[in-house]
Coordinates of all heavy atoms in Angstrom, one line a residue:
V1144 N -1.9 15.8 4.5 CA -1.2 14.9 5.4 C -1.6 13.4 5.1 O -2.8 13.2 4.7 CB -1.6 15.2 6.9 CG1 -3.0 15.2 7.1 CG2 -0.8 14.4 7.9
E1145 N -0.6 12.6 5.2 CA -0.9 11.1 5.0 C -0.4 10.4 6.3 O 0.7 10.7 6.8 CB -0.2 10.6 3.8 CG -0.7 11.1 2.5 CD -0.1 10.5 1.2 OE1 0.5 9.4 1.4 OE2 -0.2 11.1 0.2
V1146 N -1.2 9.5 6.8 CA -0.9 8.8 8.0 C -0.8 7.3 7.7 O -1.6 6.8 7.0 CB -2.1 9.0 9.0 CG1 -1.7 8.3 10.3 CG2 -2.3 10.5 9.3
R1147 N 0.3 6.8 8.2 CA 0.6 5.3 7.9 C 1.2 4.7 9.1 O 1.7 5.3 10.0 CB 1.6 5.2 6.7 CG 1.1 5.9 5.4 CD 2.0 5.7 4.3 NE 1.6 6.5 3.2 CZ 2.2 6.4 2.0 NH1 3.2 5.7 1.8 NH2 1.7 7.2 1.0
V1148 N 1.1 3.3 9.1 CA 1.7 2.5 10.1 C 2.9 1.8 9.5 O 2.7 1.1 8.5 CB 0.7 1.5 10.7 CG1 1.4 0.6 11.7 CG2 -0.5 2.2 11.4
M1149 N 4.0 1.9 10.1 CA 5.2 1.2 9.7 C 6.1 1.0 11.0 O 6.1 1.8 11.8 CB 6.1 2.0 8.7 CG 5.4 2.4 7.5 SD 6.5 3.4 6.5 CE 5.2 3.9 5.4
S1150 N 6.8 -0.1 11.0 CA 7.6 -0.4 12.2 C 9.1 -0.4 11.8 O 9.4 -1.0 10.8 CB 7.2 -1.7 12.8 OG 8.1 -2.1 13.8
A1151 N 9.9 0.2 12.6 CA 11.3 0.1 12.4 C 11.8 -1.3 12.6 O 12.8 -1.7 11.9 CB 12.0 1.1 13.4
H1152 N 11.1 -2.1 13.3 CA 11.6 -3.4 13.6 C 10.8 -4.5 12.9 O 11.4 -5.5 12.5 CB 11.5 -3.7 15.1 CG 12.3 -2.7 15.9 ND1 11.7 -1.7 16.7 CD2 13.6 -2.5 16.0 CE1 12.6 -0.9 17.2 NE2 13.8 -1.4 16.9
R1153 N 9.5 -4.3 12.7 CA 8.7 -5.4 12.1 C 8.6 -5.2 10.6 O 8.4 -6.2 9.8 CB 7.3 -5.4 12.7 CG 7.4 -5.9 14.2 CD 6.0 -6.0 14.8 NE 5.4 -4.7 15.0 CZ 5.6 -3.9 16.1 NH1 6.3 -4.3 17.1 NH2 5.0 -2.7 16.1
T1154 N 8.7 -3.9 10.1 CA 8.7 -3.7 8.6 C 9.8 -2.7 8.2 O 9.6 -1.7 7.7 CB 7.3 -3.1 8.2 OG1 7.1 -1.9 8.9 CG2 6.2 -4.1 8.5
P1155 N 11.1 -3.0 8.6 CA 12.2 -2.1 8.3 C 12.3 -1.8 6.8 O 12.6 -0.7 6.4 CB 13.4 -2.8 8.8 CG 13.0 -4.2 8.9 CD 11.6 -4.3 9.1
D1156 N 12.1 -2.8 5.9 CA 12.2 -2.6 4.5 C 11.2 -1.6 4.0 O 11.4 -0.7 3.2 CB 12.1 -3.9 3.7 CG 13.3 -4.8 4.0 OD1 14.4 -4.3 4.4 OD2 13.2 -6.0 3.8
L1157 N 9.9 -1.7 4.5 CA 8.8 -0.8 4.1 C 9.2 0.6 4.6 O 9.0 1.5 3.8 CB 7.5 -1.3 4.7 CG 6.3 -0.5 4.5 CD1 5.9 -0.5 3.0 CD2 5.1 -1.0 5.3
A1158 N 9.6 0.7 5.8 CA 10.0 2.1 6.3 C 11.1 2.7 5.5 O 11.0 3.9 5.1 CB 10.4 2.0 7.8
A1159 N 12.1 1.9 5.2 CA 13.2 2.5 4.4 C 12.8 2.9 3.0 O 13.1 3.9 2.5 CB 14.4 1.4 4.3
E1160 N 12.0 2.0 2.4 CA 11.5 2.3 1.0 C 10.6 3.6 1.0 O 10.7 4.4 0.1 CB 10.7 1.1 0.5 CG 10.4 1.2 -1.0 CD 11.6 1.1 -1.9 OE1 12.6 0.6 -1.5 OE2 11.5 1.6 -3.0
F1161 N 9.7 3.7 2.0 CA 8.9 4.9 2.1 C 9.8 6.1 2.2 O 9.6 7.1 1.5 CB 7.9 4.8 3.3 CG 7.2 6.1 3.5 CD1 6.1 6.4 2.7 CD2 7.7 7.1 4.4 CE1 5.5 7.7 2.8 CE2 7.1 8.3 4.5 CZ 6.0 8.6 3.8
S1162 N 10.7 6.1 3.1 CA 11.6 7.2 3.4 C 12.4 7.6 2.2 O 12.6 8.8 1.8 CB 12.4 7.0 4.6 OG 13.1 8.1 5.0
K1163 N 12.9 6.6 1.5 CA 13.8 6.9 0.3 C 13.0 7.6 -0.8 O 13.5 8.4 -1.6 CB 14.3 5.5 -0.3 CG 15.4 4.9 0.5 CD 15.8 3.6 -0.2 CE 16.7 2.8 0.7 NZ 17.0 1.5 0.2
N1164 N 11.7 7.3 -0.9 CA 10.8 7.9 -2.0 C 10.0 9.1 -1.5 O 9.3 9.6 -2.3 CB 9.9 6.8 -2.5 CG 10.7 5.7 -3.2 OD1 11.6 5.9 -4.0 ND2 10.4 4.4 -2.8
A1165 N 10.0 9.4 -0.3 CA 9.1 10.5 0.3 C 9.3 11.8 -0.4 O 8.3 12.4 -0.8 CB 9.4 10.6 1.8
K1166 N 10.5 12.2 -0.7 CA 10.7 13.5 -1.3 C 10.1 13.5 -2.7 O 9.4 14.4 -3.1 CB 12.2 13.9 -1.4 CG 12.5 15.3 -1.8 CD 14.0 15.6 -1.7 CE 14.2 17.0 -2.1 NZ 15.7 17.3 -1.9
A1167 N 10.4 12.5 -3.5 CA 9.8 12.4 -4.8 C 8.3 12.3 -4.8 O 7.6 12.6 -5.8 CB 10.4 11.1 -5.5
E1168 N 7.7 11.8 -3.7 CA 6.3 11.6 -3.6 C 5.6 12.9 -3.2 O 4.4 12.9 -2.9 CB 5.9 10.5 -2.7 CG 6.4 9.1 -3.2 CD 5.5 8.6 -4.4 OE1 4.4 9.0 -4.5 OE2 6.1 7.9 -5.2
G1169 N 6.4 14.0 -3.0 CA 5.8 15.3 -2.6 C 5.8 15.6 -1.2 O 5.1 16.6 -0.8
F1170 N 6.4 14.8 -0.3 CA 6.5 15.1 1.1 C 7.6 16.2 1.4 O 8.6 16.2 0.7 CB 6.7 13.9 1.9 CG 5.6 12.9 1.9 CD1 5.6 11.8 1.0 CD2 4.5 13.1 2.7 CE1 4.5 11.0 0.9 CE2 3.4 12.2 2.7 CZ 3.4 11.1 1.8
G1171 N 7.3 17.0 2.4 CA 8.3 18.0 2.8 C 8.9 17.7 4.2 O 9.9 18.2 4.5
V1172 N 8.1 17.0 5.0 CA 8.5 16.7 6.4 C 7.9 15.3 6.7 O 6.8 15.0 6.3 CB 8.0 17.8 7.4 CG1 8.3 17.4 8.8 CG2 8.5 19.2 7.0
I1173 N 8.6 14.6 7.5 CA 8.1 13.3 8.0 C 8.0 13.4 9.6 O 9.0 13.9 10.2 CB 9.0 12.1 7.7 CG1 9.1 12.0 6.1 CG2 8.5 10.8 8.3 CD1 10.2 11.0 5.7
I1174 N 6.9 13.1 10.1 CA 6.7 13.0 11.6 C 6.6 11.5 11.9 O 5.9 10.8 11.3 CB 5.4 13.7 12.0 CG1 5.6 15.2 11.8 CG2 5.2 13.4 13.5 CD1 4.3 16.0 12.0
A1175 N 7.5 11.1 12.9 CA 7.5 9.7 13.3 C 7.2 9.5 14.7 O 7.8 10.1 15.6 CB 8.9 9.1 13.0
A1176 N 6.1 8.8 15.0 CA 5.7 8.5 16.4 C 5.9 7.1 16.8 O 5.5 6.2 16.1 CB 4.2 8.9 16.6
A1177 N 6.7 6.9 17.8 CA 7.0 5.5 18.3 C 7.2 5.5 19.8 O 7.7 6.4 20.3 CB 8.2 4.9 17.5
G1178 N 6.9 4.4 20.4 CA 7.1 4.2 21.8 C 8.2 3.1 22.0 O 8.8 2.6 21.1
K1179 N 8.5 2.9 23.3 CA 9.5 1.9 23.7 C 10.9 2.2 23.1 O 11.4 3.2 23.2 CB 9.0 0.5 23.5 CG 7.8 0.3 24.4 CD 7.3 -1.1 24.4 CE 6.1 -1.3 25.2 NZ 5.7 -2.6 25.5
A1180 N 11.4 1.3 22.2 CA 12.7 1.5 21.6 C 12.7 2.7 20.7 O 13.7 3.3 20.5 CB 13.1 0.2 20.9

């Protein structure tokens, strides 16, 4: 498991880039925890 902080609103490019590459990086599932919006 790898745990990271990314924001849909404050770091949208970082979140998109991570997600685009997650499968190639060996991830099988992504868990996303967020409050408010």
Side-chain angles (χ1 to χ4, degrees):
V1144 59
E1145 292 185 21
V1146 182
R1147 301 182 187 186
V1148 174
M1149 305 179 188
S1150 170
H1152 303 107
R1153 293 181 293 271
T1154 60
D1156 294 338
L1157 179 65
E1160 191 66 23
F1161 171 82
S1162 190
K1163 285 177 189 176
N1164 296 312
K1166 188 173 185 179
E1168 295 290 328
F1170 292 96
V1172 178
I1173 299 172
I1174 296 174
K1179 299 188 180 187

